[in-house]
């Protein structure tokens, strides 16, 4: 069974979102997503300062067999990117919810957070996808 | 060991280079290289032995049965190589005048005509250097056609979800947006889904028929009607032309533009990944846009048509008009076959595929489309074996190598889980097909009783299973001399 | 039946196994009205002997002229071993090395090729080849526009000293990518692209500058100054280079302060026959930083389960078969067989052998140009230093002169005036290491008489 921390929010495209409480959020991919992709070999990070809208493709994770877009869960400005992944993409495989975070956003509309799924909703989504 | 590692300073193959020549003093010193390039310094024998040994580490059609679906790995007749390598053909400069080119131009002109005839198209250009370039040329012509009519809204290209990856990639290169069309349960395009997505934005649809799932789309006429009525054009991906050569012509199915992979249907060599050749054929309304050069004939002989003669052409795709040596091989192959031989290609490719399908089904393997005829290829899904024995398609593929069979295409098309796409081609004897079936049966028994043997395969090849993850994470894509490595680490 | 092994007994058994009574029945899912009636225009099959006679006659028909044309394809000597090994069935009839364990021969050749190309160009990485030099330049242009993080404007400076066929190929292939190709003029006296010519069209930011070395006139460009100028404006520099020339000339990786960012070109001079224009191979190399934007196949060195060294295709997630509509390019094939030939060719010649080839071409072209210029009215057009081609002006229409030479079985060169009308009657000549003193002397005599006839006409 996938690990789905209860304090995070989730998207249908398997990103997780952590509310940092200061108008910014941290984004990564879920344990389920990293497991499905397999050993990651490259992460293309978004540029700091880039404006993104919710559901824009803004990063890419690559395994040897697949390349998958990471969609911004919310609208805002990219204010952080996890440089550790440049040299060690496997960090996502090892610790998807911690050291393996991908980027941080300063939200243009913090109320959008409410549109995301909670852990229960995401668990249901995974069950439905079977 | 790399050829670079055989290198010793001062060793050389002196007979191969011109005799020593005075230093080119006229070249300005600032433009000169400061240090010799780190190329190997080996004797001719060392090079010959090294590359002969490397060749022996390959599977090839000449040495192995190669049932690689969608790739048409059939015998490459030796005469095609030796005749295309006649000194007169090899020595001809691409800018040689027409007075010194009538021989090869005759071959090219006749090849154009034969390809027109066998595809049912109005005109053919031999220019594209490979299948993907043929695709690009094809969709660019579709765009040129709509643009010439002022129909600038048609920017959406429909592509079935089972299509080759080059289809959407080529459509993007031509500036289209791609929209996927789903495949129905029976393997044919979902015609209702298609009807729902066509409209004034539709530029066209890219189809392979028989499709990449190995069946002939029975709705092809309805698809053609739907797309044409919406104002779009039909693009035929010739990847599977071997299945219908001489039997059905894409032009008669309603296609407006097609590309052919001569390295598949016309048996030119795959060469370890190229060269290919991807001629395109078009209906009359697309003729002005064909890529150049073209060969035409009049009372004075053969002539090239270029930018000046075809101002509406989508243009030039390589510097010198395409892979002439490959076109010659295809021409020679076509002349050896003749019309009757071409029909037999599809007949026996289909016979071999259906026979192999019947035997694998009888042996208990699950077909992806059991109710359908195989075209020249078909799909087995190892879903059940994966579930029961924990052995996946890649494991089976690698184990087949141990038995001396090149693996079929794996994990394509993407919509069938754990799939093997199997294309035996017409040039394989029945014994080769029977041997393949026996190997599959043995591997399944191994999967059941000794799964590690399969999961660890291959065991009898020059290397065991390779670490792709390591290759991608610790990129090592060029050998560097030890001295320069030391420099870069300092 | 050509190449079909089935006996009547085989056919009967196979049909029985399938459960149909004829091969025709296997096509029963195809609507009857679509079935082809006949194949008009396709002659009956011939035996191998008959085809041999036909092709020998066709090859003979094109004669054995002496070639003084270069212009992007060069008549070099190819060691006998190169094609004897390349056409071994194990190389010739193998597929793309997707099953790495069954393709170590091809994969190691690709890795060795990549290593040799990085050595020649002085750049970090190379792909495993593209179709030809011109299409490689198109991919280089697309790649530079994608890669330049500082200049987002899709604008590329394209000197007129880049081969016109290359410029047209690039224009065709990138025409729907919204890229503006800005022409840069050249200095009429030296035949070089000057910084001032670039300045004149660089009023807006540009993502890349293309730099040919040598250029289409055979002239060497001032690559160091041009590279520094472009990079100071945050543009990338794409070198278009001749691999044989690189045996003598400074490699793109050494140009200017920081080196060119990308280098591409035509691999034909590395062991490929002229063969009417193909198949050749395009090479494409770049600095490490851009490797993920490098299109086409790349072989990498790795290990197997036992830690033994082996080779595999890597970074495939950039490619069309995985990334589909988001791939770096639609390109699928590389020129594997030609890569094999080029690799063996470079292994046999080595750096010193290539240097000798380059020096011999340079010397022969100098001699050719000197002798042709002894003919009244013939003179060099440009003052810039050349590698192995030179542009000459003629006192009569080039087309007429070339036709006269062709009648004497001499292919006199490339008609430059057709592409560069401002040069008047202009001919681009080339003498590779294969051209002998006697052939050069014959050309001189033939040119003299062709000019007399042309002027009289």
């Amino acid at each position: 069974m996938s690990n789905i921390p209860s304090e995070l929010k989730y998207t249908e495209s398997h990103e997780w979102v952590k509310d940092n409480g200061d108008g910014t959020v941290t984004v990564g991919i879920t344990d389920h997503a990293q497991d499905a992709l397999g050993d990651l070999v490259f992460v293309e990070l978004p540029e700091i300062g880039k404006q993104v809208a919710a559901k824009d493709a803004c990063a890419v994770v690559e395994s040897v067999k697949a390349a998958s877009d990471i969609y911004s869960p919310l609208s805002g400005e990219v204010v952080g990117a996890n440089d550790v992944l440049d040299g060690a993409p496997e960090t996502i495989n090892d610790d998807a919810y911690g050291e393996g975070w991908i980027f941080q956003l300063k939200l243009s509309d913090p109320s959008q957070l409410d549109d995301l799924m909670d852990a229960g909703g995401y668990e249901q989504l995974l069950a439905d996808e079977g | 060991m790399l050829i670079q590692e055989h290198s010793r300073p001062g060793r050389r193959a002196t007979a191969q280079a011109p005799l020593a020549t005075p230093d080119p003093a006229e070249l300005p010193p600032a433009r000169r290289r400061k240090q010799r390039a780190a190329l190997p310094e080996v004797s001719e024998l060392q090079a010959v032995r090294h590359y002969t040994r490397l060749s022996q580490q390959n599977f090839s059609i000449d040495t192995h049965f190669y049932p690689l679906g969608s790739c048409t790995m059939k015998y490459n007749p030796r005469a095609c190589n030796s005749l295309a390598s006649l000194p007169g053909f090899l020595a001809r400069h691409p800018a040689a005048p027409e007075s010194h080119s009538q021989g090869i131009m005759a071959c090219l002109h006749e090849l154009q005509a034969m390809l027109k005839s066998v595809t049912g198209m109005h005109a053919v250009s031999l220019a594209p250097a490979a299948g993907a370039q043929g695709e690009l040329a094809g969709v660019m012509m579709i765009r040129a056609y709509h643009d010439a009519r002022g129909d600038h809204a048609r920017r959406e290209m429909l592509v079935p979800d089972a299509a080759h990856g080059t289809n959407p990639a080529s459509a993007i290169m031509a500036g289209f947006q791609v929209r996927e069309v789903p495949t129905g349960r029976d393997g044919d395009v979902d015609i209702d889904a298609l009807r729902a997505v066509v409209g004034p934005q539709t530029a066209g649809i890219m189809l392979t028929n028989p499709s990449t799932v190995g069946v002939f789309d029975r709705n092809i006429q309805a698809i053609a009607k739907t797309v044409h009525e919406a104002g779009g054009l039909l693009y035929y991906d010739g990847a599977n032309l071997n299945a219908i050569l001489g039997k059905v012509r894409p032009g008669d199915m309603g296609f407006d533009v097609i590309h052919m992979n001569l390295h598949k249907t016309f048996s030119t060599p795959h060469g370890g990944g190229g060269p290919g050749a991807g001629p395109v054929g078009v209906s009359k309304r697309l003729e002005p846009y064909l890529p150049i050069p073209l060969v035409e004939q009049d009372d004075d002989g053969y002539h090239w048509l270029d930018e000046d003669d075809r101002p509406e052409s989508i243009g030039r795709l390589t510097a010198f008009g395409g892979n002439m040596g490959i076109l010659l091989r295809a021409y020679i192959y076509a002349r050896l076959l003749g019309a009757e031989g071409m029909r037999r290609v599809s007949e026996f490719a289909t016979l071999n595929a259906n026979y192999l399908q019947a035997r694998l089904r009888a042996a208990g393997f699950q077909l992806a489309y059991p109710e359908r005829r195989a075209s020249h290829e078909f799909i087995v899904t190892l879903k059940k074996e994966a579930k029961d024995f924990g052995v996946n398609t890649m494991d089976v593929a690698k184990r087949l190598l141990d038995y001396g069979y090149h693996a079929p295409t794996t994990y394509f098309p993407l919509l069938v889980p754990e799939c093997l796409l199997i294309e035996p081609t017409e040039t394989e004897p029945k014994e080769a097909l029977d041997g393949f079936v026996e190997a599959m049966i043995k591997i399944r028994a191994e999967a059941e009783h000794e799964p590690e043997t399969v999961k660890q395969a291959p065991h009898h090849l020059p290397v065991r299973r390779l670490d792709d993850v390591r290759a991608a994470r610790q990129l090592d894509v060029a050998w560097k001399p030890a001295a320069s490595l030391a420099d870069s680490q300092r | 039946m050509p190449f079909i092994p089935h006996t009547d007994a085989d056919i009967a058994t196979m049909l029985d196994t399938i459960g149909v009574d004829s091969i025709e029945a296997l096509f029963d899912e195809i609507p009857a009205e679509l079935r082809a009636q006949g194949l008009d225009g396709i002659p009956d099959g011939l035996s191998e002997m008959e085809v041999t006679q036909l092709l020998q006659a066709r090859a003979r028909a094109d004669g054995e002229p002496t070639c003084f044309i270069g212009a992007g394809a060069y008549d070099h000597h190819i060691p006998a071993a190169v094609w004897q090994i390349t056409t071994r069935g194990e190389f010739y009839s193998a597929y793309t090395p997707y099953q790495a364990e069954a393709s170590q021969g091809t994969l190691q050749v690709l890795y060795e090729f990549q290593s040799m190309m990085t050595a020649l160009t002085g750049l970090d990485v190379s792909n495993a080849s593209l179709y030809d030099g011109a299409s490689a330049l198109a991919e280089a242009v697309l790649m530079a526009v994608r890669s330049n993080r500082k200049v987002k404007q899709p604008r590329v400076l394209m000197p007129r000293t880049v081969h016109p066929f290359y410029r047209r190929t690039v224009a065709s292939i990138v025409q729907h990518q919204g890229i503006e190709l800005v022409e840069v003029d050249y200095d009429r006296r030296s035949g070089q692209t000057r910084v001032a010519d670039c300045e004149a069209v660089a009023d807006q930011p540009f993502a890349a500058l293309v730099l040919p070395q040598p250029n289409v006139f055979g002239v060497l460009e001032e690559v160091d100054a041009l590279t520094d100028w472009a990079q100071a404006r945050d543009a990338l520099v794409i070198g278009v280079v001749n691999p044989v020339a690189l045996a003598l000339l400074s490699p793109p990786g050494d140009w200017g302060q920081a080196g060119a960012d990308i280098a591409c070109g035509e691999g034909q001079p590395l062991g490929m026959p002229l063969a009417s224009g193909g198949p050749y191979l395009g090479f494409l190399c770049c600095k490490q930083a851009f490797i993920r934007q490098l299109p086409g196949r790349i072989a990498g060195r790795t290990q197997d389960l036992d830690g033994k060294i082996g080779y595999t295709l890597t970074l495939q997630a950039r490619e069309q078969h995985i990334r589909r509509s988001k791939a770096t390019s639609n390109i699928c094939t590389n020129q594997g067989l030609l890569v094999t030939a080029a690799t063996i060719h470079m292994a046999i010649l080595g750096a010193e052998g290539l240097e000798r080839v380059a020096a011999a071409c340079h010397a022969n072209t100098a001699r050719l140009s000197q002798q042709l210029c002894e003919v009244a009215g013939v003179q060099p057009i440009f003052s810039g230093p050349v590698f192995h081609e030179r542009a000459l002006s003629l006192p009569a229409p080039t087309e007429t002169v070339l036709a006269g030479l062709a009648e004497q079985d001499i292919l006199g060169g490339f008609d430059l005036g057709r592409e560069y009308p401002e040069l008047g009657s202009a001919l681009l000549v080339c003498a590779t290491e294969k051209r002998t003193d006697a052939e050069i002397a014959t050309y001189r005599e033939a040119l003299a008489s062709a000019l007399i006839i042309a002027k009289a006409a």
Side-chain angles (χ1 to χ4, degrees), chain B residues 359-382:
Chain B
R359 285 222 51 203
L360 286 170
R361 184 211 297 248
F365 288 96
Q366 190 184 340
L367 303 178
Y369 298 96
E371 75 285 7
R372 300 293 306 270
R373 284 263 186 253
S375 57
H376 66 315
E377 62 186 357
F378 61 96
I379 301 176
V380 164
T381 168
L382 300 176

Side-chain angles (χ1 to χ4, degrees), chain B residues 1-4 12-13 16 18 24 31-33 36-37 40 42 50-52 54-55 57-62 66 68 71 73 77-78 81 89-93 97 100-104 107 110 117 130 132 140 143 163 165-166 169-170 172-174 218 221 247 252 269-275 306-308 314-320 323-325 329 331 335 338-339 344 350 352 372-373 398 427 461-462 464-468 470 476-480, chain C residues 1 3 5-6 14 20 24-29 33-36 40 42-43 45-46 58 62 69-71 73 79 85 87-96 99 101-106 108 111-112 114-115 119-120 124-125 131-132 165 168-169 172 175-177 221-222 224 246 248-250 274-276 278-279 297 300-306 308 311-312 314 320 324-325 330 333-337 343 347-348 350-352 355-356 362 406 409 411 418:
Chain B
M1 201 165 165
L2 294 165
I3 190 75
Q4 285 87 352
R12 49 178 83 88
Q16 308 305 343
R31 301 283 82 82
R32 292 287 300 271
R33 199 175 179 108
R36 257 186 196 163
V42 297
H50 176 76
Y51 291 105
T52 302
L54 282 188
S55 78
Q57 298 190 17
N58 270 0
F59 276 36
S60 66
I61 307 174
D62 283 3
Y66 223 121
L68 200 59
C71 299
M73 297 297 284
R78 283 276 148 188
N81 182 51
F89 291 133
L90 293 188
R92 184 183 168 276
H93 192 283
H100 286 69
S101 312
Q102 293 295 302
I104 185 163
C107 297
E110 287 172 25
S117 172
M140 278 168 60
R143 180 157 168 156
T166 46
S170 299
I172 295 288
M173 288 270 286
R218 295 163 294 192
Q221 290 151 301
K247 283 277 172 191
D252 298 335
H270 281 78
D306 63 14
E307 287 90 345
D308 297 339
I314 58 160
R316 194 174 276 273
L317 300 170
T318 59
F320 298 113
N323 285 338
M324 300 297 176
R329 282 169 176 79
Y331 169 74
R335 293 303 308 262
R344 284 188 178 135
T350 303
N352 274 1
R372 300 293 306 270
R373 284 263 186 253
K398 298 295 185 199
T427 56
L461 271 74
R464 297 187 60 197
R465 211 175 290 194
L466 289 162
D467 188 344
D468 291 337
R470 180 191 168 97
D476 171 1
V477 297
W479 175 89
K480 301 278 191 272
Chain C
M1 290 183 280
F3 316 118
H6 299 63
M14 293 169 84
V20 294
E24 206 49 38
L26 299 172
F27 293 88
D28 58 4
E29 288 191 0
E33 63 273 25
L34 288 182
R35 304 290 294 277
D40 298 339
I42 299 185
L46 299 176
R58 293 260 167 95
D62 293 345
I69 318 178
I85 298 191
T87 52
R88 284 178 64 95
E90 299 95 324
F91 283 132
Y92 186 80
S93 73
Y95 190 67
T96 306
Q99 290 290 345
E101 297 85 354
S103 314
Q104 286 297 295
T106 292
Q108 186 174 329
Y111 181 88
E112 290 182 0
Q114 291 166 193
S115 305
L120 270 181
D124 302 316
V125 293
Y131 306 132
D132 79 330
F165 292 179
R168 281 186 220 149
T169 303
S172 300
Q175 63 185 279
H176 298 302
Q177 297 299 312
E221 299 277 11
E222 305 272 346
D224 296 322
L246 286 182
L248 288 176
L249 299 181
S250 123
L274 290 168
S276 292
R297 293 175 184 145
R301 179 155 63 169
T302 184
Q303 296 179 354
D304 73 0
L305 286 171
D306 295 335
K308 184 179 173 190
Y311 302 86
T312 184
T314 192
Q320 47 72 30
R324 298 177 78 82
S325 62
N330 75 326
T333 191
N334 64 334
Q335 301 286 91
L337 200 65
T343 306
I348 289 179
E352 188 190 330
E355 220 176 87
R356 286 200 206 171
H362 177 76
D409 262 349
L411 307 186
R418 218 188 128 177

Side-chain angles (χ1 to χ4, degrees), chain B residues 24 34 61 103 122 138 205 249 353 355 387 414 433 459 462:
Chain B
K34 304 282 180 291
I61 307 174
H122 174 76
I205 186 169
R249 307 191 310 166
Y355 173 72
K387 186 159 159 282
L414 305 171
L433 311 182
H459 304 274

Side-chain angles (χ1 to χ4, degrees), chain C residues 195-219:
Chain C
V195 166
D197 299 314
C198 296
E199 289 276 10
V201 293
D203 47 339
Q204 296 183 70
F206 56 98
L209 165 69
V210 176
L211 264 185
Q213 183 75 328
N215 71 23
V216 69
F217 306 131
V219 174

